[in-house]
Amino acid sequence: MQIDSLAANQLPTSRWQRFQPWLNLLGVIFFMLVALASFGLGQSLVWLTTHTLEIGASLSFMLGGLLLPGWAVIRWCSPSGRFDRLERWALSWSIGIALPPILLQLADLVGLPINRWLVFGYGGLALLAAIWPKKSSTWPDRLTELKRIRPSSHAWLLIGLTSVIVLQRLLVVRDLAVAQWGDSYHHSMITQLLLDHGGLFETWHPYADLTTFSYHYGFHANSAFLAWWGQLSATSAVLYMGQMINIAVGPLAYLLTRRLSGNKAAGIIALVFTCFYNTMPSFYVNWGRFTQLTGQVILVGVIVAWLALLDYKAFNWQLVGLAVILTTGLVLTHYLVTIFAVIILMLMVLALVAQHPRFDYAKQVLWRGGAVGLISAVLAAPWLYTIVQSKLTAIARNYVTGYSQSYASSVATLVAIVPFYIKAPLMILIGLGLWLACAQRNWRMLWLAIWSLGLELIAVPYVLNLPLSGIITGFAVAIMLYLPLIPLAAYPLGWLYQRWQHWPWLRGVSMVLLLLTIAWSMPWQSTLATDQYRMFFAGDQQALNWIEQATAADAKFLINGIMSYGDALVVGEDGGVWIPLLTKRQTTIPPLTYGSEKASDPKFDYNVYLLYEALRTTPLASAEGRQLLQAQGIDYIYSGVRLSQNNPKFQQDIQALRYLPEQFPIVYERDGVVIFAVKAQQ
C-alpha cells in the first residue's frame, strides 16, 4: 500500500510501484476481515446476512442518493480543473447530504408531496447529469472519456479505507433496534412525520400535541430520503443514516486537510486519525447527535467551496452556485453549526484580506462572499420566516437578555478536551503542526488554529463581554474540535512522508505505523456502542408489542423522566419514551422539541413540568399520588429495562407499587419491564 499516486504520464519504475494497486486491495480485504473478527466473525456474518434489506438500501442510497447527486452538482458547478477526481468524490459527500433539505423546502413551496418514486427519479436524474456530455462534446466522446478513467494507487487506498470505515460503522449498530439515547427519539419522530406528510409538516399528531415545526431538519430529510429509497422504517432510517453521516466524516477530513495543506499524504493520515484513532466523531453513535454531525459534514464543504470561490482568478457563477447550495443546506441543517460557519468564514475573509492588503482584492472578496450570502438567504428565506415565527426566537432572546442565567453559567464553560475529545498524542502532533505551519508560513494551516480558538471563545462569550452565554455550550464546541485540530496533527506527518520520497524503507515504516493504527482501532470500536447510553432494549420492544395488542388506543402511560436543561425540560429515562412513536399511545413526556415548538395548549410545556415537579415529592403509592395520576388521566405506569439495570435519577419508588395490587395491579412483567395498571379510586 502507498499513499501517493503516480503521475498520469509516469510509468512504474519498480516492482513495488507496479504491484501497489494489488497490495492496496489485499490490505483493504485484510482489514475488513480484521473488522469482522473484532466484532465477532460468526455474529457479524449472521447479522450481515439477516439485515440485507437495511444494509443494501443504505449502501445503494449512499451511492445513488448521496454521491451521484453530489458528483453531478460538482461536475456542472465547478470550472474544469478546479477539483481533481478524488477531491470531487470527497466533496460529493457534503453536497449530497446538503441537497435533501433544500429539495424538501422546494417541494413544500410548490405543494409537491415526496414519495419513493420521486426519490428514485432524483437518483436517476443525478446519474444522467453525472454522465451527460457537456457542450462541444458527444456521447461517444463522453463514453470514451469514462472508459479511460484509471484510479491511481492513492485513489484505491482512499476508497479502500473508506470501505473499511463503512463496514466498521455498520457493525457498530448491529445490536441496536433504534438509535441510542434521548435525541434519537425526536429525530425518529420527525423522520416519521416527514414520511407521513410527504414532506414538511406543522402538526405532530398523532404522536404529540405540537402544532409547529421549526427544528432544523437536514439530517431528518436525509433519513426520510433513505426510508423512501429503501422502504425502511423511520427508526431504521435514522439509525443507518446516522452511521452514513459518520462515514462521510472520513473523506471530508481527507478533503479539508488536503485542500488546506496541499499534501495528499496528510489527507490520508487525517482520515485515519479521524476515523480509526480518535474517539470523536465515532462516539456520536452513543449520543444520537446526528444533526450536529450532519452540520459538520456540510460545514467542510462550505469551507472548501468558499475557498475555491474566493481563490479563483475571476468571478465565477458556477462556484457561486456550489457555495450557495452548501451554505443553504447548512442553514436548514443545523442552526448552531451555521453560527460556527459564520465565524469561520469571517476569519477566512479576514485572513485572505490580511494576506493581500489591497483595496481591489478586499472588494473582490466581499463581492463574491456577499453574492453567496445574499442568494443563500433568499433561498432559505421561507424557512427563516418559519423560525422567526416560532418559539426559537424567544428562547434565543432570553439567553441574550440574561434570562436563565443559572443554566447559562453552568454550560458557558470550557470542557477539558484531552483525552476524550482529542487524544493526548494528537495534541503533541498538533503542536508540531503549528510550529511547521509557522516555519513554512502556511496561513491556511495556521487558520485552523485560529478557527479552534474562535470556537472556544464563543463557548465562553463573557470573556469578550458578550451577552450570549448558554446559546453555545462548551460541550457542543468540544465534540467538534476534531474537525480543525486533526488536520493540524496530520500536517507534520504528511510533510515527513513527502520528505521520505527517496527513502523507501522509511516510507515502509510509516505505512506499517498507519496500518497498525487501523488494526489497533478495531477492538475498541467494536465495543463503542455501550448500554450506558442505550434506552431501548429487546425487553422494551416486546413490551411495546404487548401494549399495541392489549391496551386501548387512547391509553396514557406515565413514564420515567428527569429534569434537564437547567430544570427547564423533562426528558425520558428509559424505553417508555418510544411508546407514542411505536404504538401511537400517549405518554406523559413529549419529544424534547416540545421546548421549542408551540402546542394547542399554550401551557403544554408548563403542565409537563408541573407534573414531574409534583412527582418529586409525591409518592405514587400515596393517596395524593393516586389522585395526581387520575387527574392526569393516566391508565398505566411503565418502568423499562434501562431503569431496572441502571436505577437512575427517577425519584419514584416503583417497587412500593407492588404492595398495592388492588390499586396498581401488574399487567405485564418480563425481561426487565414492569407495567402497572392504575385503578380508579372508589
Side-chain angles (χ1 to χ4, degrees), residues 1-7 20-25 28 71 84-90 93 149-164 251 254 258 264-265 267-268 271:
M1 298 172 76
Q2 75 173 29
I3 289 181
D4 290 322
S5 60
L6 296 170
Q20 280 309 300
W22 297 106
L23 292 172
N24 288 346
L25 179 61
V28 168
W71 183 277
D84 68 21
R85 286 197 180 96
L86 281 185
E87 290 174 326
R88 289 185 180 192
W89 174 79
W93 291 86
I149 295 176
R150 295 290 185 272
S152 65
S153 276
H154 181 77
W156 282 120
L157 177 58
L158 177 60
I159 296 171
L161 290 176
T162 304
S163 301
V164 177
Y254 166 84
R258 176 176 169 177
K264 291 188 288 185
I268 290 287
L271 177 146

Side-chain angles (χ1 to χ4, degrees), residues 242-258:
Q243 294 306 93
M244 277 194 280
I245 298 294
N246 216 317
I247 292 164
V249 173
L252 288 163
Y254 166 84
L255 175 66
L256 181 65
T257 307
R258 176 176 169 177

Side-chain angles (χ1 to χ4, degrees), residues 280-281 284 292-293 295-296 299 336-337 340-341 344 421-422 451-452 455 458 474-485:
M280 295 296 135
Y284 273 59
Q292 183 170 347
L293 191 61
Q296 294 165 19
L299 175 61
L336 290 186
V337 179
F340 294 157
I344 292 162
Y421 301 101
I422 300 290
W451 169 7
S452 305
L455 289 176
I458 61 176
F475 172 73
V477 169
I479 64 176
M480 73 166 292
L481 280 177
Y482 75 90
L483 200 58
L485 291 181

